[in-house]
Amino acid sequence: MAPKQINGKGRTVAEPSFAQTTIQGLTSAENRSVVTAIGLFAIGVTFLHSSWAEILLPA
């Protein structure tokens, strides 16, 4: 016997947007080490590119 069809309003679940997916990916626990490493690298490059890098030069 075939199953009966149910007529009525069904709830459709929208796919998450690109921004939501990206934020969930960046904040997930399994990606924490990669995100931390990229962040520290960016901070290091910014520091070395700034005028504060002169404090590393010998006198």
Side-chain angles (χ1 to χ4, degrees), residues 21-28 31-32 35:
T21 306
T22 303
I23 291 172
Q24 287 175 354
L26 290 175
T27 57
S28 69
N31 293 335
R32 183 171 302 176
V35 173

Side-chain angles (χ1 to χ4, degrees), residues 4 10 16 27-28 31-32 41-42 47 51 54 56:
K4 296 180 181 179
T27 57
S28 69
N31 293 335
R32 183 171 302 176
F41 177 78
F47 173 76
S51 61
E54 294 178 6
L56 300 175

Side-chain angles (χ1 to χ4, degrees), residues 26-51:
L26 290 175
T27 57
S28 69
E30 59 188 29
N31 293 335
R32 183 171 302 176
S33 61
V34 174
V35 173
T36 303
I38 292 172
L40 290 176
F41 177 78
I43 290 170
V45 168
T46 303
F47 173 76
L48 292 175
H49 190 67
S50 71
S51 61

Side-chain angles (χ1 to χ4, degrees), residues 5-12:
Q5 291 183 355
I6 300 173
N7 294 331
K9 292 184 178 180
R11 181 177 174 191
T12 59

